[in-house]
Amino acid sequence: MDSWEWMELLREHPEKAAECPCWDEFTPMEWMMILEAHPQFADQCPWEEFDGYCWSTLLRAQPQFADKCSWDELDGAYWWWLLDKQPQFADKCAWEKLSGHDWALVLNFMPEAVKHCRWENLSAQDWSELLRMHPEFADKCQCWNDFSDYDWLWLEEWQSQLVDKYRRKANT
């Protein structure tokens, strides 16, 4: 069996751990998948090999490993993915790494992060997505003129009052 097959076996049957010949061969992804299900094997993990994806995915399931995390490895997409499940890590977030799309996602589930937001990073599409759930941010939008017909239609379905107010301004 190769390391991937062993990882799959250990996820289902951790009692086979003593038989595993490939602890030194597991990739960071395999380690992440093992530890998601069985954190008791953490003492053997080469943490320094984890990338942002492995960290964000593991910490979503097992936040107790935060003290091992190399936070610099997480980019914007990994930050929103992690914060969606574990908002207690917001104080560690490198907010400057979030793209406009990342911001639209984060603010939808964590509107209190608004104090960190770089509004200029949001595109018209990001804005139409964000404003569907949070019309209170409409006054921050500087790109009404960039909204496509699709952005307006999408926004109209959820927040018609914004379309009535801002589409008129964008067309003048």
Side-chain angles (χ1 to χ4, degrees):
M1 286 196 322
D2 66 15
S3 64
W4 186 266
E5 292 166 325
W6 269 105
M7 176 274 298
E8 290 179 323
L9 179 67
L10 290 172
R11 281 178 58 93
E12 296 297 319
H13 301 283
E15 70 277 5
K16 302 269 189 188
E19 300 171 34
C20 180
C22 55
W23 289 103
D24 293 334
E25 298 169 28
F26 288 129
T27 66
M29 175 82 69
E30 291 164 341
W31 269 111
M32 179 266 299
M33 294 175 76
I34 291 168
L35 295 174
E36 271 185 308
H38 300 289
Q40 69 268 26
F41 299 127
D43 62 330
Q44 300 179 63
C45 181
W47 299 107
E48 67 282 355
E49 295 177 17
F50 273 38
D51 63 10
Y53 173 78
C54 290
W55 279 120
S56 64
T57 304
L58 178 61
L59 292 175
R60 279 175 60 92
Q62 302 289 349
Q64 72 271 23
F65 294 128
D67 64 326
K68 312 245 188 259
C69 184
S70 298
W71 298 105
D72 290 340
E73 294 292 326
L74 279 72
D75 68 13
Y78 300 138
W79 273 114
W80 83 255
W81 176 246
L82 175 58
L83 293 173
D84 179 43
K85 202 67 148 174
Q86 302 292 347
Q88 72 271 22
F89 296 130
D91 66 327
K92 309 257 189 232
C93 185
W95 299 107
E96 69 279 1
K97 291 185 176 184
L98 275 66
S99 70
H101 180 68
D102 300 330
W103 273 115
L105 294 167
V106 166
L107 291 172
N108 269 323
F109 62 79
M110 185 185 279
E112 66 273 17
V114 68
K115 64 184 176 225
H116 303 289
C117 187
R118 294 183 173 191
W119 300 111
E120 67 276 7
N121 291 348
L122 278 75
S123 69
Q125 185 177 358
D126 300 329
W127 274 108
S128 68
E129 183 177 325
L130 174 61
L131 293 172
R132 285 183 312 134
M133 303 306 286
H134 291 283
E136 68 271 20
F137 298 136
D139 65 325
K140 307 283 190 212
C141 181
Q142 299 297 314
C143 60
W144 295 108
N145 290 328
D146 299 329
F147 273 44
S148 68
D149 289 341
Y150 178 76
D151 295 329
W152 286 115
L153 285 171
W154 200 17
L155 187 58
E156 186 170 37
E157 185 176 326
W158 296 84
Q159 302 291 342
S160 60
Q161 79 282 6
L162 293 181
V163 175
D164 294 341
K165 180 177 180 180
Y166 290 102
R167 190 166 200 179
R168 229 173 281 124
K169 286 183 182 179
N171 290 332
T172 57

